[in-house]
Amino acid sequence: MTDRSDVKKLVKRHWNGRAETFDDEAHHGIHGEDQRERWLSVLDRWTGEAPQRVLDVGCGTGVISLLLAGLGHDVTGVDVAPAMLEQARDKAHRAGLSVEFQRGDAEVLAVRDDAVDLVTARHLLWTLPDPETALREWQRVAGPGGRILLIEGFWDHPEPWDEYEEVHGDLPLYDGRPPGELREVLEKAGLRDVEHEPLDDPVLWGREPRHEYYAIAGTVPR
């Protein structure tokens, strides 16, 4: 498959189908106060003093969006899958948190230049047919001096599954990358002062990590 619009349709269908049960898995949702507090600690270290204007791209069910809002940031979540956004809005309402959720394409955001201080994304780059375009787009909306913060990993699954059986060959970063390789991708895209931190604490994932997880961030040059 080479038509990117077809690739995106199948990716959207995959995540729409997983929305209702996505948070059930220990390493996806937040299950308990210890896990919540540990994630808040990680995000607080990487985001800095609140309030900041944050765009959470590929927000899914809003896990990171709601944590960031809980830290006092002004958060907007964007996702391509309507069913994921429904879950996110419901969770925000139940938590009493004010987070705006919008449907959108991570590679072509309906957001003005320099609109936010920080762009975040968790486990998103591997799902994109054009991650380089996405990284340029995120820098555009963050603007000079803005930050890009990614929660990423390297999964190295033996076989693709569901819709990914058909499209994984069209996703340049499918299965993620080790931090050193992703650092090179971010620097090639223009980010500066790129640094990363392992996220191997079992409390973060509700179990012993089965893959290599990490936070990685860089600054948009002025």
Side-chain angles (χ1 to χ4, degrees):
M1 181 177 294
T2 57
D3 189 321
R4 286 181 178 170
S5 65
D6 289 337
V7 173
K8 290 182 179 184
K9 286 177 183 177
L10 286 176
V11 170
K12 180 174 70 173
R13 188 172 78 186
H14 176 86
W15 295 108
N16 268 329
R18 295 183 63 184
E20 188 172 345
T21 59
F22 182 80
D23 285 351
D24 293 348
E25 297 187 46
H27 60 299
H28 286 164
I30 299 295
H31 301 270
E33 197 58 30
D34 286 348
Q35 190 179 26
R36 177 181 300 278
E37 289 300 320
R38 198 60 56 90
W39 271 111
L40 288 171
S41 177
V42 168
L43 293 171
D44 190 41
R45 289 199 307 273
W46 281 91
T47 58
E49 186 175 352
Q52 294 191 47
R53 301 166 300 165
V54 183
L55 183 69
D56 187 27
V57 186
C59 64
T61 63
V63 174
I64 299 299
S65 299
L66 298 188
L67 290 167
L68 292 168
L71 288 171
H73 298 296
D74 179 10
V75 185
T76 299
V78 175
D79 201 277
V80 71
M84 285 283 188
L85 293 171
E86 288 179 15
Q87 296 290 325
R89 292 186 183 108
D90 182 61
K91 287 163 60 177
H93 176 74
R94 286 187 279 114
L97 292 170
S98 178
V99 181
E100 181 180 357
F101 291 104
Q102 305 173 352
R103 184 174 173 182
D105 185 332
E107 297 176 2
V108 189
L109 294 167
V111 180
R112 62 177 174 80
D113 295 358
D114 306 346
V116 300
D117 306 302
L118 175 70
V119 173
T120 59
R122 183 174 80 154
H123 301 165
L124 175 64
L125 279 176
W126 72 274
T127 72
L128 302 178
D130 193 347
E132 291 183 5
T133 291
L135 287 166
R136 290 195 298 270
E137 183 75 341
W138 303 350
Q139 291 180 76
R140 177 186 67 78
V141 302
R147 297 273 289 169
I148 311 295
L149 169 62
L150 309 178
I151 306 298
E152 276 299 336
F154 179 47
W155 294 274
D156 196 22
H157 293 122
E159 297 290 341
W161 67 98
D162 297 336
E163 286 81 3
Y164 284 100
E165 291 184 38
E166 188 170 348
V167 301
H168 71 281
D170 296 289
L171 306 175
L173 297 180
Y174 179 78
D175 260 353
R177 291 294 184 275
E181 291 185 26
L182 189 58
R183 176 177 184 150
E184 292 179 2
V185 171
L186 299 186
E187 290 177 339
K188 182 179 178 182
L191 289 169
R192 299 291 180 264
D193 304 319
V194 178
E195 53 187 344
H196 75 274
E197 169 193 3
L199 298 178
D200 52 12
D201 184 344
V203 177
L204 289 169
W205 308 104
R207 67 185 191 188
E208 194 68 35
R210 299 174 186 173
H211 306 285
E212 184 175 17
Y213 297 116
Y214 55 93
I216 188 166
T219 302
V220 182
R222 295 183 182 276

